[in-house]
């Protein structure tokens, strides 16, 4: 009898723990769930006007169009969580494409050229990280400088001309299938999403990013390597921007010096829509990916319905406003509770 | 003896000095004559300045190439200034060019509406100016020449060609990837195309306007357009990247050749696609040719020869089957420099 009672209590405790765990997951992803619902509502609204919007083909369109932005947003997120900003990602994206295409034009194979392209991200990320952490310059100023320099170099590399991709197999990077049935661009997005989310949530080094963003001084007093963490954030951001650029040129088999010009603001917008604060200390990879998806769905919807594309910026602006208001409202409720 | 020696030495020294003075005087006269001749030559040699709206777009580089080539042939010096898409910088550049002593200007303006104060200033300085690519604001007359594409007639011709492509593929729905419609040339293209569609029995199912003028954006737009309107049988690309983007989408969807593409402007990339039958026609905008013709007109103005005020060039069509013909090669030579 006593044993039965004990058993029942243990079961109840287990159930209560599971419910609390589920609630804590839901609670910690409240903003992301709201964005996911908003995306679904948006897609349904577009689908009510243009039925093809809900087709499998259009899903492929959205994921393909959104993949570079998703990857870039994940990098920008890391910087934003530490309380910084990276304005150079669009230019690094363009320069990577131009350098990679130029390397192929000089006889390098796709793989070697890609490594050369990725080195652009490594170099610019290191410059950003060095100037912010060692020289102590403001991230806005530093990345504004590298934005200008990388953007300028993207023109210099080929004198402003677009460059076709020389390696005929280079399309496999984007559209091949390392996992049967799944195009690589989706695979890369999923792998990076899971890896960065787990890193931020489950690993000590990931937690340092939040600590640095919440208060660099406090983090320093706690023994967290603040400068190293910030440096890594900038390097990761530029590397992911470079990778995003590689994926894009692999898709369209052309490199353009202006290709990334609109992506920087979109990436920052995606991160903010996803619940990250530009003051640092908050944000999730899931949120950044959903933010990027929302921007892509808006662009897709505007095109499908046939609204003048100049409205895209306004619609995206309203989406950011709504996301920020939802986030603020939910935080104030939690605070009141 | 000593005295004689001394005297002889003195005389020698005096002679040497006298000779030296003669040589210096002769050299000075020769130098002065050379410098004078050079100055006279420099005064005779005219200089043309090319004011580009921005040099990050290949088109404006190619216009500049045309200006430079023609200037060399005409024995003119060439200077290049970029306005970085700013009307204020454009005005500053014009003043800088005049201060540097240029004799004529060929300009790709930032916009038509930015030109009235510029024209007033250059008129006050008596500097001939030719427009290339984009013309002056309607109503302005104080310019030497305007060499532009005839966008309306080209729009009509391209519209007819696109409609023909659609009908050959068993439909009459066409899609359009457009330049921003706040541009005067885009409005003219569209007006011409719409008239052609109406006359030839085609429907414009959808038009999407670019913002970034990139291939990537054109890919997204062409994808979205074909998703919303799967019956589209031909695509009208109003700018070069639109053709490249649309061709990429058709390739991905296995629709190459099944949906026709005609594009305006032309570049090595789209010529490659034309040769591969991924697109069916290019209406070439003669960027180099506009630079050449504009330079010729300002030179004519400087030398008192006859000037053609408005040169609206109809953009010639080159189709896949004729891309290697001598006529097509002559057209392409007026589009972009040979190094491309």
């Amino acid at each position: 009898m006593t044993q039965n009672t004990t058993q029942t209590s243990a079961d109840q405790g287990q159930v209560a723990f599971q419910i609390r765990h589920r609630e804590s997951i839901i609670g910690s992803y409240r903003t992301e769930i709201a964005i996911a619902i908003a995306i679904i509502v948006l897609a349904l609204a577009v689908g009510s006007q243009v039925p093809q919007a809900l087709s499998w083909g259009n899903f492929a369109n959205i994921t393909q169009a959104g993949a570079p932005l998703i990857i870039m947003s994940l990098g920008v997120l890391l910087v934003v969580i530490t309380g910084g900003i990276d304005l150079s990602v669009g230019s690094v994206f363009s320069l990577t494409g131009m350098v990679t295409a130029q390397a192929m034009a000089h006889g390098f194979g796709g793989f070697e050229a890609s490594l050369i392209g990725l080195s652009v991200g490594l170099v610019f990320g290191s410059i950003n990280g060095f100037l912010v952490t060692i020289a102590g310059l403001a991230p806005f100023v530093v990345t504004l400088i590298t934005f200008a320099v990388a953007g300028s170099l993207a023109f210099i590399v080929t004198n402003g001309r677009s460059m076709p991709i020389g390696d005929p197999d280079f399309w496999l990077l984007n559209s091949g299938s390392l996992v049967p049935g799944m195009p690589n661009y989706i695979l890369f997005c999923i792998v990076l999403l899971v890896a960065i989310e787990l890193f931020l949530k489950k690993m000590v080094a990931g937690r340092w990013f939040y600590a640095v963003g919440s208060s660099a001084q406090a983090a320093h007093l706690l023994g967290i390597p603040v400068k190293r963490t910030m440096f890594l954030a900038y390097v990761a951001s530029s590397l992911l921007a470079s990778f995003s650029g590689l994926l894009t040129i692999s898709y369209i088999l052309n490199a353009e010096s202006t290709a990334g010009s609109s992506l920087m603001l979109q990436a920052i917008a995606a991160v903010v829509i996803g619940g990250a604060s530009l003051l640092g200390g908050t944000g999730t990879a899931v949120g950044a990916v959903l933010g990027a998806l929302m921007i892509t769905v808006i662009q897709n919807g505007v095109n499908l319905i046939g609204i003048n594309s100049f409205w895209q910026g306004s619609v995206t602006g309203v989406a950011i406003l709504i996301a920020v208001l939802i986030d603020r409202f939910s935080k104030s409720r939690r605070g009141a509770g | 003896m000593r005295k004689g020696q001394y005297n002889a030495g003195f005389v020698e020294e005096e002679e040497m000095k006298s000779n030296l003075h003669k040589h210096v005087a002769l050299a000075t006269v020769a130098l002065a004559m050379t410098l004078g001749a050079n100055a006279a030559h420099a005064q005779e040699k005219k200089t043309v300045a090319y004011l580009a709206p921005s040099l990050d777009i290949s088109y404006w580089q190619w216009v500049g190439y045309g200006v430079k080539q023609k200037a060399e042939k005409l024995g003119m010096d060439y200077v290049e200034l970029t306005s970085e898409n700013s009307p204020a910088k454009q005005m500053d550049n014009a003043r800088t060019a005049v201060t540097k002593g240029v004799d004529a200007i060929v300009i790709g303006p930032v916009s038509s509406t930015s030109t009235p104060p510029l024209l007033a200033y250059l008129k006050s300085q008596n500097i001939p100016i030719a427009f290339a690519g984009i013309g002056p604001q309607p109503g302005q007359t104080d310019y030497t020449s305007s060499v532009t594409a005839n966008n309306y007639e080209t729009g009509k011709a391209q519209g007819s060609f696109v409609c023909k492509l659609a009908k050959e593929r068993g439909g009459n729905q066409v899609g359009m990837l457009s330049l921003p419609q706040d541009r005067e040339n885009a409005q003219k293209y569209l007006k011409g195309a719409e008239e052609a569609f109406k006359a030839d029995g085609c429907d414009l199912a959808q038009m999407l306007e670019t913002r970034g003028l990139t291939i990537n954006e054109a890919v997204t737009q062409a994808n979205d357009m074909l998703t919303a309107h799967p019956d589209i049988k031909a695509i009208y690309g109003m700018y070069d990247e639109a053709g490249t983007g649309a061709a990429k989408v058709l390739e991905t969807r296995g629709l190459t050749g099944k949906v026709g593409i005609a594009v305006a402007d032309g570049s090595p990339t789209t010529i490659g696609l034309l040769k591969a039958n991924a697109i069916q026609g290019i209406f070439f905008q003669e960027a180099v040719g506009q630079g050449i013709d504009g330079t010729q007109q300002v030179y004519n103005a400087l030398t008192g020869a006859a000037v053609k005020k408005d040169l609206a060039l109809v953009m010639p069509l080159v189709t896949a089957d004729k891309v290697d013909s001598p006529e097509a090669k002559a057209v392409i030579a007026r589009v972009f420099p040979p190094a491309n």
Side-chain angles (χ1 to χ4, degrees):
Chain A
M1 180 73 178
T2 311
Q3 201 178 358
N4 280 349
T5 311
T6 311
Q7 182 67 41
T8 312
S9 307
D11 289 347
Q12 283 175 342
Q14 183 75 13
V15 170
F17 171 77
Q18 283 174 348
I19 291 170
R20 271 203 305 276
H21 182 63
R22 203 177 303 148
E23 278 178 352
S24 79
I25 289 176
I26 292 171
S28 61
Y29 285 101
R30 195 171 288 171
T31 306
E32 289 78 0
I33 292 167
I35 299 163
I37 292 169
I39 291 172
I40 292 167
V41 170
L42 202 62
L44 290 174
V46 176
S48 69
Q49 301 290 311
V50 184
Q52 295 92 327
L54 302 174
S55 64
W56 178 249
N58 196 47
F59 171 76
N61 288 351
I62 290 170
T63 48
Q64 172 66 78
L69 180 60
I70 286 171
I71 293 169
M72 187 184 279
S73 302
L74 286 169
V76 171
L77 171 79
L78 294 173
V79 172
V80 167
I81 289 175
T82 63
I85 191 88
D86 191 349
L87 304 177
S88 67
V89 283
S91 295
V92 169
F93 175 100
S94 302
L95 181 59
T96 299
M98 299 309 277
V99 166
T100 308
Q102 190 70 285
M104 283 189 218
H106 281 83
F108 287 94
F111 181 72
E112 294 88 349
S114 297
L115 290 180
I116 293 169
L118 284 174
S119 69
V120 169
L122 191 65
V123 168
F124 274 88
S126 302
I127 292 170
N128 285 339
F130 176 81
L131 291 175
V132 169
T133 57
I134 309 297
L137 301 178
F140 188 93
V141 176
V142 168
T143 57
L144 191 63
I145 293 166
T146 45
F147 156 80
V149 173
S152 154
L153 290 176
F155 286 105
I156 290 169
V157 170
T158 62
N159 206 15
R161 284 183 292 121
S162 67
M163 288 275 297
I165 298 300
D167 185 342
D169 294 328
F170 196 63
W171 64 274
L172 287 165
L173 176 69
N174 177 77
S175 309
S177 294
L178 288 169
V179 172
M182 181 187 283
N184 286 344
Y185 62 87
I186 294 182
L187 177 71
F188 292 140
C189 289
I190 293 172
V191 168
L192 285 167
L193 163 65
V194 173
I196 292 173
E197 187 71 9
L198 287 177
F199 171 72
L200 289 172
K201 297 280 180 185
K202 301 290 179 192
M203 292 180 74
V204 175
R207 291 282 184 188
W208 290 348
F209 281 68
Y210 292 104
V212 168
S214 296
S215 169
Q217 266 187 323
H220 178 68
L221 291 173
L222 285 169
I224 293 171
V226 174
K227 286 183 178 175
R228 199 191 340 158
T229 303
M230 289 170 77
F231 186 87
L232 281 176
Y234 284 98
V235 171
S237 176
S238 283
L239 270 176
L240 287 173
S242 272
F243 184 62
S244 175
L246 284 180
L247 218 53
T248 299
I249 61 166
S250 161
Y251 175 46
I252 61 173
L253 295 177
N254 240 292
E256 298 172 283
S257 39
T258 54
S261 52
S262 64
L263 279 174
M264 173 261 285
L265 284 176
Q266 288 182 15
I268 294 170
V271 167
V272 173
I273 290 172
S277 164
L278 288 179
L279 298 173
T282 59
T284 64
V286 176
V289 169
L290 287 170
L293 269 179
M294 181 174 236
I295 289 171
T296 313
V297 168
I298 289 170
Q299 288 171 346
N300 175 258
V302 164
N303 285 344
L304 289 183
I305 295 171
I307 301 170
N308 186 321
S309 57
F310 291 146
W311 283 100
Q312 278 177 11
S314 301
V315 177
T316 310
V318 171
I320 295 170
L321 178 66
I322 292 169
V324 171
L325 288 175
I326 288 171
D327 191 42
R328 186 162 189 163
F329 180 67
S330 66
K331 275 176 187 160
S332 67
R333 275 191 63 183
R334 262 179 275 167
Chain B
M1 180 74 180
R2 267 189 190 172
K3 194 179 177 183
Q5 277 178 340
Y6 175 79
N7 280 341
F10 180 77
V11 169
E12 264 179 32
E13 196 177 314
E14 282 302 300
E15 272 179 9
M16 274 173 69
K17 272 186 183 175
S18 171
N19 282 339
L20 187 67
H21 285 155
K22 274 181 194 167
H23 284 130
V24 168
L26 278 171
T28 308
V29 169
L31 185 67
M33 283 176 72
T34 311
L35 285 174
N38 279 346
H41 180 68
Q43 266 186 340
E44 275 171 20
K45 198 169 188 188
K46 306 286 184 192
T47 302
V48 61
Y50 169 51
L51 307 192
S54 67
L55 286 170
D56 53 5
I57 293 173
S58 302
Y59 186 84
W60 296 117
Q61 294 173 21
W62 298 347
V63 172
Y65 174 83
V67 176
K68 194 176 179 183
Q69 294 304 305
K70 192 67 187 178
E72 276 174 15
K73 275 189 186 165
L74 295 170
M76 300 173 90
D77 282 330
Y78 169 85
V79 291
E80 187 176 271
L81 298 159
T82 173
S83 306
E84 292 162 18
N85 290 316
S86 156
K89 185 83 192 286
Q90 179 176 271
M91 194 67 202
D92 291 344
N93 282 342
R95 288 180 183 279
T96 306
V98 171
T99 309
K100 282 176 82 170
V102 304
D103 301 283
I105 287 176
V106 176
I107 186 172
V110 170
S111 65
S112 299
T113 51
S114 69
T115 57
L118 182 86
L119 291 178
Y121 170 69
L122 292 177
K123 188 186 178 190
S124 73
Q125 300 296 315
N126 206 23
I127 302 285
I129 176 170
F131 286 86
I134 298 173
Q137 181 170 284
Q140 294 289 309
T141 53
D142 293 330
Y143 59 91
T144 309
S145 183
S146 173
V147 189
T148 55
N150 189 329
N151 303 117
Y152 170 71
E153 288 298 337
T154 306
K156 248 176 126 171
Q158 193 176 345
S160 275
F161 184 72
V162 168
C163 188
K164 190 177 130 216
L165 290 176
K167 289 189 168 175
E168 283 170 359
R169 285 156 181 78
N172 70 342
Q173 299 245 314
V174 297
M176 183 183 280
L177 296 175
S178 168
L179 288 166
Q181 280 295 319
D182 58 346
R183 292 191 189 180
E184 201 187 333
N185 61 341
Q187 291 165 11
K188 286 179 180 169
Y189 273 131
L190 179 61
K191 188 170 184 284
E194 282 181 329
E195 284 180 17
F197 294 151
K198 197 176 173 188
D200 298 347
C202 278
D203 289 334
L204 179 58
Q206 188 171 23
M207 179 189 76
L208 290 173
E209 296 171 51
T210 181
R211 289 195 302 171
L213 279 161
T214 63
I215 297 170
N216 203 23
E217 187 193 33
V219 167
T220 304
Q221 291 193 334
N223 246 330
D224 292 345
M225 195 161 71
L226 289 171
T227 300
H229 303 278
D231 292 334
I232 283 175
K233 292 293 177 194
I235 295 173
Y236 180 121
M238 207 181 271
Y239 57 101
D240 201 65
E241 291 81 0
T244 312
K248 172 68 200 166
V249 169
L250 296 190
E251 187 198 344
T252 308
R253 292 176 171 238
L255 291 173
T256 302
K258 293 174 187 164
V259 174
I261 301 172
V263 65
D265 291 351
S267 71
T269 306
T270 42
I271 288 173
L273 292 168
L274 188 69
K275 286 180 177 173
N277 282 312
I279 61 180
Q280 284 67 45
I282 301 175
F283 285 80
F284 281 104
Q285 174 135 229
E286 299 170 306
V288 173
Q290 289 174 354
I292 289 171
D293 294 350
T295 310
Q296 181 67 60
Q297 295 310 312
V298 288
Y299 183 79
N300 287 356
L302 289 171
T303 54
V307 170
K308 288 178 188 163
K309 185 120 181 151
D310 290 295
L311 279 164
L313 310 171
V314 176
M315 292 160 63
L317 166 67
V318 174
T319 50
D321 55 326
K322 289 181 184 154
V323 67
D324 289 320
S325 68
E327 295 81 12
K329 283 179 180 165
V331 167
I332 292 167
R334 279 175 59 87
V335 177
F336 49 77
N340 288 272

